[in-house]
Amino acid sequence: MKVIVDLCVVPMGVGVSVSKYVAECQKVLQEAGLEHQLHAYGTNIEGDWDDVFAAIKRCHERVHAMGAPRITTSIKVGTRTDRDQTMQDKIDSVADGKL
């Protein structure tokens, strides 16, 4: 099953800046070959359900390995059965609606 996920991984107990942890999660997504887009408060990811959630698990493993004692993660998940839809399709649909 294909999925689009909005992911926000927040390491706790590591100070104010979390950019190096976010960058590590981006590496995980790249290594997994998943389509993803960073935005101001998280990352959108699309792909096969099992591949996406395996990558999210690896993000947690890597961030813990970097020294974060706790992580809080917010995930929004969307699936469709009526047709295939990419992240770009969703963006284009909104842009087309503004015209």
Side-chain angles (χ1 to χ4, degrees):
M1 175 171 33
K2 298 294 181 191
V3 65
I4 296 177
V5 169
D6 187 28
L7 175 70
C8 181
V9 175
V10 181
M12 300 174 69
V14 296
V16 177
S17 178
V18 297
S19 58
K20 71 178 183 179
Y21 302 95
V22 172
E24 189 63 29
C25 284
Q26 294 296 301
K27 287 180 193 174
V28 167
L29 300 173
Q30 289 170 347
E31 290 167 3
L34 294 169
E35 188 69 31
H36 61 283
Q37 292 180 322
L38 181 67
H39 58 86
Y41 284 99
T43 303
N44 292 136
I45 311 162
E46 69 182 34
D48 179 75
W49 179 285
D50 291 338
D51 296 337
V52 170
F53 280 91
I56 291 170
K57 178 181 179 182
R58 284 193 302 279
C59 284
H60 270 249
E61 291 168 343
R62 295 254 191 107
V63 170
H64 280 306
M66 293 173 71
R70 294 181 63 190
I71 302 168
T72 183
T73 296
S74 300
I75 302 173
K76 290 189 276 184
V77 179
T79 58
R80 292 188 76 147
T81 58
D82 58 330
R83 68 182 179 97
D84 287 336
Q85 185 178 44
T86 66
M87 293 182 297
Q88 190 61 50
D89 292 337
K90 293 176 74 61
I91 293 167
D92 292 345
S93 176
V94 172
D96 291 345
K98 288 183 180 179
L99 298 176

